[in-house]
Structures are given as C-alpha cells and as structure tokens.
Amino acid sequence: ISHTCTTTINIQQVSSLVYSTFATMPQSTDKTIEALTSSNVVESKTMATLVVEKEKSNEPKYRALYTHLLSKHEGILMDNKKSDLTSLEDYQEETTLLRSAIISERNAWILGITMGLGAFISIKFLPRVYIYRFGGKEKYKKLKEAEALARQDRTWWARSAIGTLIEGSLSFWIGVRAYQLASQTTDGTYEIIAQVPMVKGRSVVADKLCAEWVHLTKRDIPPAFWENLDEGNLQDTRTWTAIRAFSQNCIKRRLYERVVAKELGVTDSQERVSLPNKVPDYIPAATELTTQQALQLVSDR
C-alpha cells in the first residue's frame, strides 16, 4: 500500500510538472515573438532613418538636375520677348510674372557685384586715400618710399599676390552675401517661377515644363529626400520648397484646365484652354493623386 501511494504521488508530481511546463510555453513564446517583432520595428525605423540621412547628402546632385532642366528650357524662361506668344493676351499674366523674376534676379546680381567691387576697392585703396587726406603729403610720400623699398625684396611679389588674393576673397564673400540678402528680402527666381502654373489665361511654361518637372519631382527623386525638406534638414529649404510647389501647382493647373474644358464643352484632351481666372490655391484632388496618376495627368497633352 505504501509503495502504491508513493507511485501515485510521483505520477501526480510528474503530471503537475508536465502541465506547468506546457502551460508556460505559450506565454514564453508570445513574449519571444513580441520581442522579435519589436526588434524588427526598431530595425525598420533605423533603416528608414539611415535612408533619409543618405538622401540628405544628395541635395547638390538633385539641385543640378533642376538646373539642367531650367537650362534646357532657358529660351522659354529668359527669352520670351522673342516669342510671338507673348503678344497674345492669353499669355500676358505669365509674361509679366516671368519678367518680374528676371528683374528680381538681375537686381540681386547687380547689388552683389556692386558690393563686391566696392569692398575690393575700399580694402585696396581706401587706406592710401585716408593717409593722403588726413596725414598730409609728407606721410603719403613716406608711404610711397616705403613701398618702393619693399619692392626691392625678392619676396615682395609673392607677398603682394597673397595679400591681393586675401582681399579678393573677402570682397567676393561680401558680394555673395549681398546677393543672398537681396534674394531673401524678395521672392527668388524659383519662388516666382513656382507661381507660373497658377496664372490665368494660358502658360507656355506649364505646357513645356510641367511634365518633365513633375516626373523629376515625383519619380526621379525619392520620397526620402522630401522628408528631409519637411523636417528642415536641407541647406536651401526655401528653394526646395519652391521646387516642390511648382510641381504641385502644375498638377493643380491641369486639374483646373479639365474643369474649365468640361464647362466649355471641350472633349479633346489635347486641346488647350484659356483659364478665365487664376488657378485656385486649394484643389483637394491635387493631393489625393498617386504618383502614376499625377504623371499621367501632366503628360496627357
């Protein structure tokens, strides 16, 4: 009887141990799966962050793509006076806007060049004028004699060249800063051009440039790069904002043209219509289109 009881107790203990082991296994497995899932999420976020950081370094490369595109269509943007389209009333608002962009850019360059040259002349010759004006002819004469004596040194030319290089570099920096400040106080070239697709009437810039611009913005440049713009991580946030705005405004214009064409009874998608007023800033459908739909929309000419 004692042996039977002991055997029964042992069987119960083993059964209890087996039960407790299998009972705890699902909880342990769930925790393991949860830990692995959490680890994968963290790793995925880390990889996404690395991709965004990598795209940030491509800013000069992508900027060159838009510069090339603008250079390709330079005749439209810079030489529109020679185009017979500018004489038409439908293109009047676009022409005025483009000319204001050219004038704004030209004035900024003129100011930068003027300030740079002025700085160089001041640094190079103002000390002489100051000595002659306030020191008198005697001090000015001594200065000339000292310079003549210094020229006899074999290293004078090298020292003079280095001094001129430093003066020129400082003057160049002043000119660049003056240009940048002038551009910041008014709408820059990109910002003005970004508004061209929104003009009333017709737009030769939108007709010729929008398809390639939207393709470059939506297809060639990855979304990770634009995340840097949203987070303020790019060097030239102002310009990139204008670049993306131009693309979005192209889409808005095409959608609005479709509305106007429908109202006018125009069924041919290839036929261009003249907009009776400026394109509305808020068009909900413009933000709901997929990349493929947006590309198809602006290419439907």
Side-chain angles (χ1 to χ4, degrees):
I1 295 173
S2 175
H3 176 72
T4 303
C5 291
T6 303
T7 302
T8 304
I9 292 173
N10 289 337
I11 292 174
Q12 290 176 348
Q13 290 176 344
V14 170
S15 300
S16 176
L17 178 61
V18 171
Y19 174 78
S20 63
T21 301
F22 280 95
T24 56
M25 280 184 65
Q27 297 177 2
S28 177
T29 303
D30 290 344
K31 291 181 179 180
T32 303
I33 294 174
E34 183 179 353
L36 290 173
T37 304
S38 177
S39 177
N40 290 336
V41 171
V42 172
E43 183 178 354
S44 177
K45 289 182 178 179
T46 303
M47 289 298 296
T49 303
L50 290 176
V51 171
V52 172
E53 284 293 327
K54 181 181 178 181
E55 287 299 328
K56 178 182 176 181
S57 64
N58 289 329
E59 182 175 357
K61 172 186 172 182
Y62 295 148
R63 177 71 177 266
L65 295 177
Y66 286 100
T67 301
H68 173 72
L69 182 57
L70 288 175
S71 299
K72 178 181 176 182
H73 296 282
E74 184 178 4
I76 300 174
L77 299 173
M78 305 297 291
D79 199 27
N80 59 356
K81 292 181 181 179
K82 296 181 181 180
S83 175
D84 58 347
L85 295 176
T86 60
S87 61
L88 300 177
E89 185 177 352
D90 282 345
Y91 295 90
Q92 183 176 359
E93 186 169 333
E94 179 187 52
T95 302
T96 302
L97 196 60
L98 288 175
R99 285 176 179 170
S100 67
I102 295 171
I103 292 173
S104 177
E105 187 72 8
R106 182 190 64 191
N107 291 342
W109 274 108
I110 290 175
L111 179 61
I113 293 172
T114 302
M115 292 297 294
L117 289 175
F120 182 78
I121 293 173
S122 298
I123 295 171
K124 193 72 174 176
F125 301 106
L126 189 59
R128 297 171 180 269
V129 176
Y130 182 83
I131 292 174
Y132 184 82
R133 177 68 177 82
F134 297 99
K137 293 182 179 181
E138 283 297 324
K139 287 189 176 182
Y140 185 73
K141 182 179 179 181
K142 290 181 180 180
L143 175 64
K144 297 291 288 183
E145 292 174 353
E147 289 180 346
L149 184 62
R151 287 192 182 95
Q152 298 177 5
D153 190 347
R154 293 181 179 180
T155 62
W156 181 84
W157 291 105
R159 289 186 286 108
S160 178
I162 293 174
T164 302
L165 180 61
I166 294 174
E167 293 164 352
S169 300
L170 179 59
S171 301
F172 178 78
W173 179 82
I174 292 174
V176 171
R177 286 298 298 158
Y179 164 77
Q180 291 174 342
L181 290 173
S183 298
Q184 291 173 3
T185 54
T186 58
D187 287 341
T189 304
Y190 278 97
E191 291 167 317
I192 295 176
I193 293 176
Q195 294 301 314
V196 170
M198 306 292 281
V199 299
K200 71 177 183 179
R202 292 172 61 182
S203 170
V204 65
V205 172
D207 292 338
K208 300 294 185 181
L209 197 60
C210 272
E212 293 180 79
W213 195 285
V214 173
H215 189 281
L216 182 57
T217 305
K218 295 284 188 180
R219 178 66 60 83
D220 295 345
I221 297 182
F225 176 79
W226 298 112
E227 288 185 34
N228 283 290
L229 175 60
D230 296 331
E231 296 172 3
N233 294 332
L234 300 179
Q235 294 181 355
D236 195 355
T237 303
R238 183 180 179 187
T239 298
W240 284 111
T241 300
I243 287 174
R244 188 167 62 177
F246 184 92
S247 176
Q248 197 64 21
N249 288 342
C250 283
I251 296 172
K252 290 179 182 178
R253 181 177 186 86
R254 189 60 184 132
L255 287 171
Y256 191 57
E257 283 178 341
R258 285 190 171 185
V259 173
V260 173
K262 185 176 181 180
E263 292 177 351
L264 296 176
V266 178
T267 57
D268 187 2
S269 62
Q270 300 293 324
E271 184 177 348
R272 299 166 184 171
V273 296
S274 178
L275 302 182
N277 45 48
K278 183 180 177 182
V279 178
D281 290 326
Y282 181 65
I283 299 181
T287 59
E288 298 172 359
L289 296 177
T290 64
T291 298
Q292 188 60 36
Q293 289 173 332
L295 293 175
Q296 179 64 34
L297 179 69
V298 296
S299 300
D300 187 17
R301 282 294 186 186

